[in-house]
Amino acid sequence: MKTITVLRGDGIGPEITEAVLRILHALKLPLTFEVFDAGMNAFANCGELIPQAVHDSIKKNRVVLKAPITTPIGKGFRSVNVQLRQRYDLYANIRPAHSLPKIKTPFCDVDIVIFRENTEDLYTGEEIVISDDEVHAIKKITRHASERIIRAAFDYACAKGRHKVTCVHKANILKKSDGLFLSCFQEIAQAYPMIESEDLIVDNACMQLVMDPHRFDVMVMPNLYGDLLSDLTSGLIGGLGVLPSANIGNDYAIFEAVHGSAPDIAGQNCANPLALLLASCFMLEHIGYPKEAKRITDAIDKVLQEEKVRTKDLGGTATTTQFADAILACL
Ligand code: NAI
Ligand code: MG
């Protein structure tokens, strides 16, 4: 029996977690789930964003399914997400954007996998207040972190039969920091002669992604660009409600949606649980249940093909619960 730590999160988190857990339970796998509050819900109850019991559970289970957690802006809170990624050294944030059936988008057959460096760049949280009128933020790029995320992208390309890896950077301006990331990329690319490699400046990459997403395959980039470009690629396939993500390190893995806690629609039972559900499929593959993951993705495809049941963000009227019911009916 394998145990998974589940964090219910804030905002729409508890609603989409419930939907996804119902579906996972229906697979009748030898899995148990330790479900915790984390984030503002936990803070309200026990004064901590991530209670010690959550860390104990993560350390024991090593695999986490996590709903989005709110980070209040400007109140001295550090993002729980960034804390978890750094504490568990989850250096590879993998965000696959695959087009889904019958969802109205400008392009079909988009298939782009972003590898976002997940532990440094501007997310170290080091901001130096020089005066009331001047603040410096530190952008940290190291050879170690750059090399491991770039290798992870090339290894993934090899393992999955992909043909190209694109490095995204701003080395024309950030000559030393992004310059280091780019030079790591150029060195490592040489060890993978069977995979095509290219590099693009981030602004150009944004334009090309919305003009011609089919030219991209696997992409690798420092943390900030990965954050921005993955929301962009979610827009290519139907929005934030459909993009899953895996945070992978050598010892731990956290699977989550790319989107946040969506406070604007929380508590209305209208959030799309698909991104978290696809993240749970990613998790099932990771822990050795690829066939069961495929059962869920097949059910998702079927429900979307039928064009009857879909949530509001995808142009439908189904509630979160109704969408989960439709998936369950297909399993
Ligand atoms: P957001 O992703 O929560 O929402 C952006 C827009 O997308 C909203 O209009 C929302 O209604 C919509 N949306 C998001 N997920 C959806 C879903 N599953 N179904 C239907 N519509 C959906 O981004 P926002 O508003 O910038 O952030 C809200 C909070 O979430 C912030 O506190 C932020 O720090 C946090 N956040 C947490 C993340 C995480 O836990 N991994 C990731 C991103 C943001
Ligand atoms: Mg983001």
Side-chain angles (χ1 to χ4, degrees):
M1 188 67 91
K2 166 108 191 116
T3 309
I4 310 285
T5 302
V6 178
L7 308 184
R8 297 167 75 238
D10 297 313
I12 60 171
E15 303 160 47
I16 58 174
T17 305
E18 195 205 316
V20 169
L21 286 182
R22 277 170 61 216
I23 294 164
L24 291 178
H25 280 304
L27 295 174
K28 303 216 176 340
L29 291 170
L31 295 178
T32 51
F33 301 95
E34 283 178 6
V35 184
F36 294 91
D37 278 334
M40 299 316 285
N41 280 335
F43 191 78
N45 291 335
C46 70
E48 277 182 288
L49 291 167
I50 317 178
Q52 185 55 42
V54 171
H55 287 302
D56 294 343
S57 174
I58 295 176
K59 280 189 193 129
K60 178 166 60 76
N61 301 328
R62 290 164 183 261
V63 178
V64 181
L65 183 64
K66 176 189 155 295
I69 291 176
T70 299
T71 305
I73 296 174
K75 293 188 187 150
F77 289 103
R78 273 206 74 199
S79 160
V80 169
N81 305 304
V82 174
Q83 278 182 56
L84 287 170
R85 291 166 190 169
Q86 289 174 356
R87 173 159 179 164
Y88 294 102
D89 202 21
L90 305 168
Y91 62 87
N93 191 327
I94 310 170
R95 300 184 155 187
H98 303 294
S99 292
L100 292 160
K102 306 270 177 164
I103 292 179
K104 238 179 127 197
T105 51
F107 302 96
C108 49
D109 302 325
V110 172
D111 185 14
I112 300 167
V113 183
I114 288 183
F115 275 69
R116 163 185 176 189
E117 200 291 318
N118 219 14
T119 60
E120 52 181 36
D121 196 359
L122 278 164
Y123 293 71
T124 53
E126 288 172 52
E127 293 182 300
I128 302 159
V129 179
I130 307 294
S131 71
D132 281 353
D133 304 312
E134 184 173 346
V135 180
H136 297 188
I138 305 292
K139 175 177 164 99
K140 176 178 168 190
I141 301 285
T142 65
R143 179 177 296 281
H144 170 67
S146 303
E147 284 183 349
R148 63 183 179 174
I149 187 68
I150 292 163
R151 267 199 204 98
F154 276 102
D155 286 342
Y156 176 92
C158 290
K160 302 279 180 182
R162 300 257 176 177
H163 70 278
K164 181 163 83 173
V165 180
T166 304
C167 172
V168 175
H169 61 86
K170 188 82 187 172
N172 53 328
I173 302 296
L174 298 160
K175 292 181 197 301
K176 298 270 168 28
S177 52
D178 281 9
L180 174 59
F181 192 86
L182 177 59
S183 74
C184 290
F185 177 80
Q186 286 162 339
E187 271 165 41
I188 289 169
Q190 288 178 18
Y192 297 85
M194 56 302 207
I195 306 284
E196 194 188 326
S197 63
E198 65 167 1
D199 71 273
L200 281 181
I201 294 173
V202 59
D203 24 4
N204 181 17
C206 290
M207 181 275 288
Q208 300 218 28
L209 272 168
V210 296
M211 295 289 288
D212 183 16
H214 300 122
R215 77 182 286 297
F216 293 103
D217 189 352
V218 176
M219 304 178 80
V220 63
M221 58 202 81
N223 206 339
L224 178 65
Y225 312 141
D227 191 1
L228 307 182
L229 265 58
S230 55
D231 271 35
L232 192 160
T233 55
S234 87
L236 296 172
I237 61 162
L240 281 171
V242 301
L243 196 68
S245 123
N247 303 274
I248 310 248
N250 291 334
D251 302 317
Y252 299 92
I254 298 185
F255 299 85
E256 62 182 337
V258 164
H259 63 70
S261 54
D264 52 336
I265 57 165
Q268 299 171 23
N269 194 25
C270 70
N272 191 348
L274 248 180
L276 189 63
L277 184 58
L278 288 167
S280 79
C281 294
F282 217 147
M283 178 191 82
L284 289 176
E285 276 173 32
H286 181 81
I287 59 174
Y289 294 108
K291 280 193 204 122
E292 290 73 9
K294 176 116 191 341
R295 273 185 72 195
I296 299 182
T297 51
D298 286 349
I300 293 170
D301 285 352
K302 189 148 180 267
V303 169
L304 294 176
Q305 279 290 356
E306 285 172 357
E307 290 187 89
K308 283 192 206 127
V309 186
R310 54 184 60 194
T311 44
K312 201 168 148 199
D313 57 315
L314 300 181
T317 54
T319 62
T320 310
T321 313
Q322 285 165 341
F323 185 81
D325 288 343
I327 300 288
L328 281 166
C330 281
L331 281 177

